[in-house]
Amino acid sequence: MEQKADQGHTGSPRYNELIDQPVLREASQSFLRVNVVLLWVGLSTYSLVHFFYSPTYWQRMAVSLVLGLVGVVAWWLLSVNRVQAAVYTFGAGIWLGLTLLAYLFGGVSGSSVFLYPLIILLAGWLVSIRAAWIVSTLTIVVTVMMVMAGEFGYL
């Protein structure tokens, strides 16, 4: 008796397919909306503080604007009900922004690299286990590259 390639003994989806899906789509949407709002509030506060107390650090404010645009795009995608695209855009944008911050301001000795595990955790929770593996692999590669750049004097 042959089994279908994508189903187990009982005709149900394979275990890998079950664990590779978000837990609750509605909860993920609400969670993403809250995170976008918190991103905007945090970036606004951060930019205002830097603008008034240390205006010479304009590069940090520029990165904040880029991250704010990531939030705008994610919010728009949520408003047109493109949830998966919003999650991918928000996650990739935050990871890239964090990587840019780490590169520009301290490399692996900077404080922003401590946020990578949180991004990996959220990728696994909101997207899939596979996404967490991909993000963690990219993080390892980028971290090793930053260490090497620091050792050779490029960072």
Side-chain angles (χ1 to χ4, degrees):
M1 186 162 123
E2 288 187 37
Q3 296 178 14
K4 292 183 181 177
D6 62 341
Q7 295 183 348
H9 293 289
T10 61
S12 61
R14 292 186 308 182
Y15 178 73
N16 289 342
E17 292 174 2
L18 292 175
I19 64 168
D20 214 21
Q21 301 298 321
V23 178
L24 294 173
R25 193 164 189 78
E26 296 79 19
S28 297
Q29 284 179 304
S30 299
F31 186 76
L32 184 61
R33 288 184 199 279
V34 168
N35 275 292
V36 169
V37 169
L38 290 175
L39 174 73
W40 287 335
V41 169
L43 291 176
S44 300
T45 305
Y46 180 79
S47 296
L48 285 173
V49 168
H50 269 289
F51 180 76
F52 289 113
Y53 294 106
S54 58
T56 57
Y57 290 111
W58 61 270
Q59 298 99 337
R60 292 183 186 209
M61 288 188 286
V63 173
S64 296
L65 290 175
V66 171
L67 289 173
L69 289 175
V70 168
V72 168
V73 172
W75 190 270
W76 176 77
L77 287 169
L78 281 172
S79 71
V80 295
N81 205 24
R82 301 213 34 220
V83 179
Q84 188 172 9
V87 170
Y88 290 161
T89 301
F90 191 73
I94 295 298
W95 186 86
L96 288 170
L98 179 64
T99 302
L100 180 63
L101 280 171
Y103 176 75
L104 293 175
F105 305 110
V108 292
S109 61
S111 59
S112 59
V113 295
F114 293 110
L115 294 174
Y116 280 126
L118 179 63
I119 293 174
I120 294 167
L121 177 73
L122 290 174
W125 182 28
L126 293 175
V127 181
S128 67
I129 301 296
R130 186 174 297 128
W133 277 104
I134 291 169
V135 172
S136 61
T137 302
L138 288 173
T139 301
I140 291 168
V141 169
V142 165
T143 303
V144 168
M145 288 174 61
M146 280 193 277
V147 167
M148 290 173 59
E151 288 295 318
F152 292 116
Y154 294 112
L155 189 62

